[in-house]
Amino acid sequence: MIAAVSMVRDEADIVADTVGWMARQVDHVIVADNGSKDGTREILEGLGVEVVDDPDPAYYQAFKMTNLARRARELGAEWVVPFDADEVWLASPGRIKGLLNGLPPEALICEAALFDHVPTSQDEPGSPVEQIRWRRAAPAPLRKVAVRAREDLSIHQGNHSASFDRVEFPLRVSGHLEVRHFPYRSEEQFVRKARNGAAAYAATDLPDSVGAHWRQYGRTIEEEGEEALTAHFYRWFYSADPEADSELIRDPCPL
């Protein structure tokens, strides 16, 4: 069995596409809802996935995702795909389930290139996955990973890596998986996500270097107001003229 696990909070605009797509790619999906207030929970319950409660506001992602992976393993999963609610995972060829089942038994980690989609003035009506058709041409520096559901598995903060207590150098394969990432979709969504992220990290005892940008967003709101964060969105995460931006290419997500 191939399972996917995720943690979500207030992602109502995109979860139907991302989680619904993942549910068609694997055998079982487990989603932990962290107190969503925007209808995310109700949407998830209509997608035919397993939804569990995560009442703890602190963003201990590594610990929580590792526990979700452990639950998937107890259900019989051989591979686990740790994914975020703003990601669409794609396999080449076919479905994620078939790809992972076809890997050699010694492979423990399957890496996925990550491409960030960027809202632009050319966005079209529809869900974020449909409307945000431009992405950064270069992959993000950090990849995402699908992992063998071994009992010694630990998923790391950010879902960018994983380790196994009994394997010092796990065999990695790459070139088969791709992730389309839709982290910032509008100024309103960006501000809401920044507020949630800052509060979630403030509730932890993790070092300030972990989640540093979310913490900084929280300070920006407190010290300068939401307008300053909105300006940050339009400066760094939006393109008014994507055709003139050499860092972007028009490449709609192939759902």
Side-chain angles (χ1 to χ4, degrees):
M1 182 179 81
I2 308 300
V5 298
S6 186
M7 295 165 47
V8 306
R9 182 177 180 183
D10 294 340
E11 300 277 10
D13 64 322
I14 200 168
V15 290
D17 280 342
T18 56
V19 177
W21 170 260
M22 184 62 80
R24 298 190 292 274
Q25 293 288 308
V26 300
D27 298 301
H28 190 67
V29 177
I30 307 172
V31 181
D33 180 66
N34 185 226
S36 293
K37 299 178 181 178
D38 67 344
T40 293
R41 176 63 179 260
E42 291 75 15
I43 294 171
L44 290 171
E45 290 176 343
L47 295 177
V49 301
E50 181 181 352
V51 185
V52 298
D53 287 315
D54 173 19
D56 179 8
Y59 198 59
Y60 291 113
Q61 186 185 29
F63 174 77
K64 294 179 179 183
M65 291 295 283
T66 298
N67 279 343
L68 290 175
R70 184 174 296 115
R71 175 174 175 80
R73 181 178 179 275
E74 292 171 351
L75 294 174
E78 297 178 4
W79 280 90
V80 173
V81 182
F83 75 106
D84 293 337
D86 54 12
E87 296 173 352
V88 175
W89 284 59
L90 304 167
S92 179
R95 291 193 298 167
I96 295 171
K97 173 182 176 179
L99 170 66
L100 295 178
N101 277 329
L103 293 179
E106 60 270 22
L108 299 186
I109 296 176
C110 186
E111 297 180 328
L114 179 70
F115 293 93
D116 288 330
H117 279 247
V118 177
T120 75
S121 60
Q122 296 187 10
D123 291 351
E124 302 176 11
S127 71
V129 174
E130 296 173 330
Q131 71 182 30
I132 304 176
R133 302 189 173 196
W134 291 80
R135 67 165 175 85
R136 300 197 185 279
L142 297 177
R143 298 187 172 198
K144 289 301 182 88
V145 293
V147 291
R148 288 277 182 188
R150 290 167 48 118
E151 61 181 8
D152 59 341
L153 166 68
S154 292
I155 297 171
H156 301 167
Q157 197 82 1
N159 296 336
H160 294 291
S161 58
S163 58
F164 300 87
D165 291 344
R166 298 196 299 272
V167 183
E168 186 174 3
F169 300 107
L171 178 63
R172 300 168 178 267
V173 296
S174 60
H176 303 289
L177 290 174
E178 177 180 300
V179 177
R180 299 298 186 92
H181 189 207
F182 298 82
Y184 310 127
R185 306 181 287 276
S186 69
E187 61 179 80
E188 297 84 6
Q189 178 266 339
F190 174 64
V191 171
R192 181 178 68 250
K193 186 169 184 174
R195 281 189 176 280
N196 285 345
Y201 272 109
T204 74
D205 59 1
L206 296 172
D208 288 348
S209 59
V210 180
H213 64 294
W214 296 114
R215 300 176 195 267
Q216 180 57 55
Y217 291 160
R219 289 192 292 270
T220 297
I221 293 173
E222 291 177 2
E223 297 170 4
E224 304 176 50
E226 290 187 357
E227 296 80 6
L229 209 61
T230 297
H232 187 81
F233 168 79
Y234 282 108
R235 181 179 181 184
W236 296 107
F237 304 124
Y238 178 86
S239 178
D241 188 5
E243 294 182 2
D245 191 333
S246 62
E247 295 185 356
L248 300 181
I249 61 173
R250 191 177 190 278
D251 183 21
C253 182
L255 281 185

